[in-house]
């Protein structure tokens, strides 16, 4: 797995006119609950960043003095378990905004989704993006997406539903 800077967040002009990085996006793992045709990640891929890797990269971002947000993506970053929550807490404790990009597989029921979102909030998560489209829905039911979204809404976690069109 690798850390990457998203194209849209990659560069902003700094005060002295030089380019500065504002956001860091981690490809935390290639492991995923889905096996989408367009993606290099999947259920059999186990490569991932360790918690030490993530905290080291967060520290490097803080040292730059310009990074304001850490994005945890993948694969499916929620498969990291406790390491994800620890990395979110680590970034949040350093004053950074945090975002998770997920396919929402964890919304198995309304209660399970609420419990998971509460753990994310307790760790300090600022916002979540849920990928919902025909490319993912072959693997993730819309019922799980609904449960995930409703848990975010009820618990007041900022949530973006991200849709890609394959047609």
């Amino acid at each position: 797995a690798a850390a990457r800077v998203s194209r849209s967040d990659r560069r902003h002009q700094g005060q002295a006119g030089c380019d500065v990085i504002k956001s860091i996006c981690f490809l935390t793992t290639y492991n995923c609950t889905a096996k989408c045709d367009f993606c290099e990640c999947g259920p059999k891929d186990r490569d991932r960043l360790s918690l030490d890797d993530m905290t080291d990269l967060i520290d490097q971002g803080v040292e730059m003095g310009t990074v304001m947000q850490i994005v945890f993506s993948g694969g499916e970053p929620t498969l990291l378990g406790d390491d994800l929550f620890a990395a979110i807490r680590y970034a949040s404790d350093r004053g950074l905004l945090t975002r998770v990009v997920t396919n929402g597989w964890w919304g198995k029921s309304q209660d399970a989704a609420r419990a998971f979102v509460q753990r994310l909030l307790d760790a300090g998560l600022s916002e979540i993006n849920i990928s919902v489209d025909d490319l993912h829905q072959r693997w993730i039911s819309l019922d799980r997406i609904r449960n995930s979204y409703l848990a975010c809404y009820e618990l007041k976690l900022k949530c973006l539903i991200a849709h890609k069109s394959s047609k």
Side-chain angles (χ1 to χ4, degrees):
R4 65 182 171 141
V5 179
S6 68
R7 182 172 291 167
S8 63
D9 291 338
R10 185 178 300 164
R11 302 275 179 186
H12 297 275
Q13 289 292 66
Q15 291 179 3
C18 62
D19 290 338
V20 293
I21 297 172
K22 297 283 188 180
S23 179
I24 297 175
C25 181
F26 297 156
L27 181 71
T28 59
T29 180
Y30 285 97
N31 191 10
C32 188
T33 57
K35 180 102 177 96
C36 301
D37 293 336
F38 71 92
C39 188
E40 63 199 354
C41 303
K44 295 181 181 176
D45 296 310
R46 297 291 181 235
D47 193 21
R48 57 160 289 177
L49 291 174
S50 70
L51 178 58
D52 285 341
D53 291 335
M54 290 185 282
T55 57
D56 286 346
L57 291 165
I58 290 166
D59 286 340
Q60 289 175 41
V62 169
E63 287 175 24
M64 291 175 71
T66 60
V67 172
M68 297 168 29
Q69 180 181 52
I70 301 294
V71 181
F72 301 93
S73 187
E76 178 55 42
T78 63
L79 294 175
L80 295 175
D82 290 340
D83 282 355
L84 176 64
F85 298 106
I88 291 168
R89 169 56 49 212
Y90 191 84
S92 181
D93 284 350
R94 279 144 189 80
L96 300 172
L97 298 173
T98 54
R99 177 191 308 155
V100 166
V101 180
T102 179
N103 63 27
W105 73 276
W106 40 268
K108 298 173 190 170
S109 69
Q110 290 179 357
D111 288 341
R114 264 189 234 98
F116 192 79
V117 169
Q118 189 60 60
R119 282 193 72 196
L120 291 168
L121 286 167
D122 291 346
L125 190 69
S126 307
E127 64 183 55
I128 193 165
N129 291 14
I130 302 174
S131 299
V132 182
D133 48 55
D134 53 339
L135 302 170
H136 287 91
Q137 271 36 88
R138 176 177 172 199
W139 310 99
I140 312 297
S141 77
L142 288 175
D143 288 339
R144 288 184 182 218
I145 301 304
R146 184 193 69 235
N147 292 338
S148 299
Y149 170 76
L150 289 174
C152 293
Y153 180 79
E154 290 172 15
L155 296 172
K156 300 185 182 351
L157 175 60
K158 188 177 185 182
C159 179
L160 170 73
I161 300 294
H163 180 270
K164 295 182 231 22
S165 177
S166 65
K167 300 182 188 217

